[in-house]
Amino acid sequence: MKWKLMLILFLLGSNLLAQKKTNVAPTPPMGWNSWNYFACDVNEDMIKEMADAMVESGMADAGYEYINIDDCWQIDRDENGKIVADPDRFPNGIKALADYVHSKGLKFGLYSDAGRLTCEERPGGLGYEKIDAETYQEWGVDYLKYDWCHHGLHKAKKLYPVMAAELAKLDRPIVFSICNWGWGKPWKWGGEIGHLWRTTPDIKACFDCGGFFRLSVLKILDKQVGLEKYAGPDAWNDPDMLEVGNGDLTDDENKAHFSLWCILAAPLIAGNDLRNMPKDVIEVLTNKEAIAIDQDPLGKQGYKYKDKKDFEVWIKPLENDEWAVCLLNRSEEKMDINFNWQKELNLKKEYTVRDLWKHQDIGKSSESYQYELPSHAVLFVRLQNP
Ligand code: GLA
């Protein structure tokens, strides 16, 4: 009897009763978010144009569905405590905008914060979780990114479940994206509460550069090692949104960044201006063979298999006993590689090796493959059943 009481107290104390909705993100969510490119400069027309561009560029057809507004859409609360959108930037209100996004066959996301204020000091959700969740439902919100600024002495593990519980009470399924930058190891508790959780500080649009508050693609990649065991359907590690097409990332770097995020079963949330994409950027974002690796129904996150300093091998198990493999050259120099798939990966059967950027079969897994891997590039393949 005593142990039963203790168990109940433990469950209550650890907030495991949040009961998030399931089957909301059976594979990593795919979409677009305003922050990486536009930061606070968001408005209704731009968001509508982004929805149009998601359809016209072929991204919707490739699987992207969420159009998410990040910080700065909100300005105040009314006398009843209801959140108010900036009337200058969103003159028709958020519901009309969500309706427009839905009319394009897409889904709509918003941003708020578990603390008193958002990171840009707009009204946060603390103390308003119930009314906010109900408002999001009324507006037709499908995705909520929930940040971690101005949280005072609260603990993430205790505060995120408050909003999760309110979302769980709604009829509408809403993806709950925990954004507390990996503080307090959200991979250990996030799966009970949300559908994805950030594992690091913000990403920066450079492949390999310094920084403390914002990290390069490679620095973020390094922080994913060992997290694979926490990921699965409805519970994804989030190494932050994509910088493909931003900053001065080269074509090889864009491809490497995208391939590695696919290996990581990361949410694929584009962060560039979809209205003005060069052809090569569209090709990266809409590579359906790469996206199929990210979205593989087995729902397993890939992991680092070999680390030879500048040369790394990342692999991801796929359904039907297939594999995705990513050979990465981290160095500033090109690299000659001679790779025997079977020997290096200890394969027990023969596969066809398919290059996912060339869209070509390049041999069999029992054969060695010779290749000149450019600096900051990947060879991204699928080991396919013959
Ligand atoms: C934090 C998040 C970012 C973005 C900004 C908005 O830094 O990590 O992704 O949402 O806040 O203010």
Side-chain angles (χ1 to χ4, degrees), residues 33 35-36 39-40 70-72 111-113 118-121 145-149 179-181 198 200-203 213-214 240-241:
N33 171 294
W35 184 254
N36 283 0
C40 238
D70 208 277
D71 208 348
C72 304
Y111 161 102
S112 188
D113 189 291
T118 71
C119 296
E120 291 293 329
E121 315 214 321
K145 173 174 167 184
Y146 218 46
D147 215 337
W148 190 233
C149 283
C179 176
N180 78 324
W181 321 305
R198 280 272 299 277
T200 66
D202 288 7
I203 194 168
F213 293 111
R214 296 182 64 203
D240 207 1
M241 302 168 296

Side-chain angles (χ1 to χ4, degrees), residues 38 44 56 111 175 198-199 202 207 266 275 278 295 324 346 354 373:
F38 294 93
E44 175 179 299
E56 281 154 23
Y111 161 102
V175 173
R198 280 272 299 277
T199 56
D202 288 7
F207 197 73
R275 300 167 302 184
Q295 297 286 305
N346 201 15
R354 183 165 178 82
L373 194 54

Side-chain angles (χ1 to χ4, degrees), residues 344-370:
E344 296 278 357
L345 303 173
N346 201 15
L347 302 174
K348 301 282 179 273
K349 64 187 222 197
E350 180 81 299
Y351 292 96
T352 300
V353 183
R354 183 165 178 82
D355 184 324
L356 301 180
W357 288 110
K358 284 202 189 114
H359 305 291
Q360 269 170 20
D361 294 347
I362 55 169
K364 291 185 183 152
S365 54
S366 54
E367 298 163 354
S368 290
Y369 189 65
Q370 303 229 3

